[in-house]
Every structure is written in C-alpha cells, then in structure tokens.
Amino acid sequence: MSADGAPRSKWPLAVAGVVLALVVTVLAVVYRAVVGEDDAPQFAPVQVAEGFPPVLPPSFDGPSASAGPSPRPPKLSPSSSRKPSQSPGPASARPISDYSACSNGRAVLFTATFGEEFAYRHVFIDTDADPRTGYAVLEVPSGFGADYMIENDVLYRSTGADWSWAEVEGITPLTGVTGLSYRWQLQPGYGVGDVIFNGSGGETAEGQFTPVIPVRGC
C-alpha cells in the first residue's frame, strides 16, 4: 500500500518484466545468428562477381602411369657418331657400359649396364637401316631412324620422325635386372638392324647415349 493507505499498482513491475524478457529473447536470436548452433561463427557466403569463375583447388593426382612414353630425351652429342661395335671400358669409366645386341635366330638379346639410376632406359632400334623412317636422331652424322624403342619394360613403335610412339601391346621385353644391368629380349622381327642405348631422367642432366652398334650373331 502507498503512504496514504491506497493500494500500490503492480503494472510497472509487470511491464518491466515483459521488457526484460523481450531484450533477452532478442539477444539470444542475434547470438545464434552470428555464432550458430555449434558455436562456430557463421558468415554469409562470398558472392563471385559475374564473369569471374570461382577458383578451384589444385589437383594432387600424379601423372598417369599409362600416359605414354617419357618426354623426348636430350639431344645426342655430336661426338656420338656411328661407330662399329667396340669393347667398352669398365663400368665406372662409362655412363653406359657392357652394352650389346645380338641375335641367335630365335630372339634378339639386348644388354646394358647403366652408370646411374636413370628414370628411363631406352633401346632405340633401326630395323630397316633407313634414317628417313622412324624417330630421327638427327645428331648421328650418317643418320638414324628408330623404328622401335624399348623404354624400361615397354616396347613402342614409331609413328613419325618426331617423338611420337604407339605402344606395342602384348610384349614385355624386359627379362632381367641385376643391379644396374638390364636385359631385354624381342622377336627377330623387332630387333634387327642397328641399336642405340640411352639413359635419361637421372643425375646427368643431358642424359647418356652409346654409339650406334649393329645387331650381331650371338
């Protein structure tokens, strides 16, 4: 009651309570809009301007193992001219040593010892002795046209004078590896003529080539 004995009105307290409840409700709505249900700040998505496509994350997928042969190996040194077969020196004295190509009538055998771990080990084969056909190794003074190429354990057929190859399916020429020594075998039709061995993709930036050698009898 008031001091003069009249009953005191309860409306001011009721109004204050309603106002306080409204304020708390508004604050709760604003907090949820900013923070979110999981207490993580929520931001409006960034709109991409018209005409500018969104930037996609980079792909981390490596190159396909079946994408084809390696990049073109470095050029031959002009000093790597066509020479008759010769006995190579010790393995430590030559980047590629103990290389040979011979036929026993049933198969052609290729062997070579590489002086370092090359990513790509090639055997270039000129089957028709015609430098105008196959992949042209122009740095060989008398000319060399590789009609076939073994790369690691895959046989390829040349499809042009440039670095252009098609895989010969169903043939696995690699027959053995001992340390850095590799052995390959092909049917006689794929392995007659002249041969160059090459290693590329190693510590030697220019790669390494052997002289041209003929396929001889085993």
Side-chain angles (χ1 to χ4, degrees):
M1 299 181 63
S2 61
D4 55 4
R8 179 175 296 177
S9 175
K10 296 182 180 180
W11 281 107
L13 293 177
V15 171
V18 171
V19 172
L20 180 60
L22 289 174
V23 171
V24 171
T25 301
V26 171
L27 290 177
V29 172
V30 172
Y31 178 82
R32 289 187 177 183
V34 174
V35 177
E37 294 294 333
D38 298 328
D39 294 335
Q42 303 293 317
F43 301 96
V46 177
Q47 299 295 324
V48 178
E50 185 176 355
F52 291 89
V55 178
L56 299 177
S59 173
F60 293 99
D61 293 333
S64 174
S66 60
S70 66
R72 184 187 190 278
K75 293 183 178 180
L76 276 169
S77 169
S79 62
S80 299
S81 59
R82 185 181 295 265
K83 300 178 183 179
S85 177
Q86 56 184 341
S87 176
S92 60
R94 302 176 68 94
I96 304 176
S97 65
D98 298 331
Y99 51 88
S100 66
C102 70
S103 174
N104 59 17
R106 299 182 303 275
V108 182
L109 310 176
F110 307 93
T111 61
T113 298
F114 295 85
E116 60 179 276
E117 287 283 0
F118 289 107
Y120 306 107
R121 291 160 294 275
H122 298 117
V123 183
F124 295 108
I125 308 168
D126 181 359
T127 59
D128 58 8
D130 188 350
R132 297 169 298 179
T133 62
Y135 167 58
V137 184
L138 301 178
E139 292 78 5
V140 176
S142 56
F144 188 93
D147 302 295
Y148 292 93
M149 173 188 71
I150 300 174
E151 181 177 272
N152 296 342
D153 60 350
V154 180
L155 177 65
Y156 293 95
R157 175 179 55 83
S158 174
T159 57
D162 295 327
W163 188 254
S164 177
W165 303 94
E167 181 178 347
V168 180
E169 299 181 357
I171 297 178
T172 304
L174 185 65
T175 59
V177 179
T178 304
L180 295 178
S181 297
Y182 289 76
R183 299 180 297 278
W184 299 272
Q185 176 177 307
L186 290 177
Q187 297 174 1
Y190 293 110
V192 297
D194 294 331
V195 175
I196 295 177
F197 294 89
N198 162 254
S200 63
E203 297 177 358
T204 306
E206 293 81 10
Q208 297 296 336
F209 291 80
T210 68
V212 179
I213 63 171
V215 177
R216 299 186 181 277
C218 294

